[in-house]
Amino acid sequence: MFLSRIVLRDLDSIDSPASMASSKKVVTRDEWERKLRDVKIRKEDMNRLVMNFLVTEGFVDAADKFRIESGTQPDIDLATITDRMEVKRAVQSGNVQEAIEKINDLNPTILDTNPQLYFHLQQQKLIELIRAGKINEALEFAQEELAPRGEENQAFLEEIEKTVALLVFEDIKNCPYGELLDVSQRLRTASEVNAAILTSQSHEKDPKLPSLLKMLIWTQNQLDEKAAYPRINNFSTAALEDPAI
């Protein structure tokens, strides 16, 4: 947020686009760094931002070490991170039934109150049966577990039809829905599960840091239209690069 305030303040001080048609305001490195130094950031706020990222992404060991070193307390029990990551890993490895059981152990209301998540887990279970070549078991599972849900929800029905279509093609490369067997499908389902567990724990489902980086990119793009200034292009180092004049 502090970078946004800096940029917006600079935008207000720059002439309108009509008067800037032939030139841009040039902000030197010294001037830019002075503006950055004028913005006071509390260390506690930065520490909370780091802890938010570690907790949301599931880095339990790093979060515990950071808690000890910085004195920053997480807003959830770190032990629940381990449980959440076990569920996520189960989905990512294709052990959907294990994931469902672990979710119910964590909080049985998660699946009871989230029919879309439960459907996607059941769909993923069907995909895993197809992947394993268990055709008869897959057909039986689709008929008994998924078909009734499709009758109640048109969107679910379309997803069922796409998944069952995998059985029609001998060469999955020719199936228009072959991407359902990609690892990316497991990752999407695992991400949905992760978000649901976090929400049930009254925690943000997405870390704040990526959103702040997106905001930085947006503000830099806005300022690019009006000024030449020291820009951050490498976000891994956050190094300022002198403006091209």
Side-chain angles (χ1 to χ4, degrees):
M1 293 299 291
F2 69 97
L3 287 173
S4 297
R5 291 198 298 269
I6 292 173
V7 173
L8 291 175
R9 185 174 62 194
D10 283 337
L11 284 172
D12 290 340
S13 68
I14 297 174
D15 294 337
S16 65
S19 63
M20 292 292 294
S22 59
S23 64
K24 290 184 177 182
K25 177 180 176 66
V26 177
V27 183
T28 65
R29 176 182 285 269
D30 288 343
E31 182 182 0
W32 192 251
E33 289 181 343
R34 177 177 58 77
K35 291 178 181 292
L36 290 175
R37 287 194 297 270
D38 287 343
V39 180
K40 305 303 180 184
I41 307 297
R42 295 197 313 161
K43 186 176 182 181
E44 292 82 359
D45 292 335
M46 296 299 294
N47 286 345
R48 280 198 293 269
L49 181 63
V50 173
M51 180 61 79
N52 171 266
F53 178 81
L54 295 176
V55 168
T56 306
E57 292 300 303
F59 299 113
V60 61
D61 291 338
D64 191 39
K65 290 179 181 178
F66 188 71
R67 175 187 63 81
I68 296 171
E69 294 174 1
S70 69
T72 305
Q73 296 300 319
D75 54 4
I76 64 173
D77 184 353
L78 292 182
T80 64
I81 299 179
T82 300
D83 296 332
R84 173 162 53 89
M85 289 300 101
E86 287 180 356
V87 174
K88 189 174 181 180
R89 282 192 292 270
V91 177
Q92 291 173 337
S93 61
N95 297 321
V96 180
Q97 187 57 41
E98 177 186 344
I100 292 174
E101 292 171 0
K102 288 182 178 296
I103 292 172
N104 286 330
D105 288 340
L106 271 176
N107 185 344
T109 66
I110 293 176
L111 297 181
D112 289 342
T113 58
N114 196 333
Q116 179 170 291
L117 174 62
Y118 185 66
F119 170 79
H120 285 157
L121 283 167
Q122 294 291 74
Q123 180 189 22
Q124 190 64 45
K125 188 173 182 179
L126 174 59
I127 291 171
E128 300 304 334
L129 289 172
I130 295 173
R131 189 196 310 276
K134 299 178 179 180
I135 308 305
N136 291 334
E137 189 174 345
L139 288 171
E140 182 179 352
F141 182 79
Q143 181 65 33
E144 295 182 358
E145 300 294 336
L146 291 178
R149 298 183 182 277
E151 293 175 357
E152 301 171 355
N153 188 304
Q154 181 62 32
F156 290 174
L157 179 60
E158 292 175 2
E159 290 300 315
I160 295 170
E161 291 173 347
K162 290 178 182 179
T163 307
V164 173
L166 296 171
L167 297 169
V168 178
F169 294 83
E170 293 184 4
D171 187 351
I172 204 64
K173 294 179 181 179
N174 296 324
C175 179
Y177 309 116
E179 72 276 1
L180 291 174
L181 291 174
D182 290 344
V183 174
S184 59
Q185 171 65 24
R186 285 181 176 177
L187 297 180
R188 278 192 293 272
T189 306
S191 179
E192 185 178 358
V193 169
N194 186 61
I197 295 174
L198 284 168
T199 300
S200 74
Q201 297 170 342
S202 300
H203 191 281
E204 300 98 334
K205 63 180 181 180
D206 297 309
K208 295 177 180 177
L209 186 57
S211 296
L212 291 176
L213 288 175
K214 290 178 182 178
M215 185 180 296
L216 172 59
I217 293 171
W218 180 85
T219 52
Q220 286 194 150
N221 289 338
Q222 294 296 308
L223 190 55
D224 283 343
E225 299 177 2
K226 296 187 175 183
Y229 62 97
R231 207 177 191 280
I232 297 177
N233 293 318
N234 187 335
F235 294 102
S236 63
T237 64
L240 293 173
E241 297 185 11
D242 290 328
I245 301 174

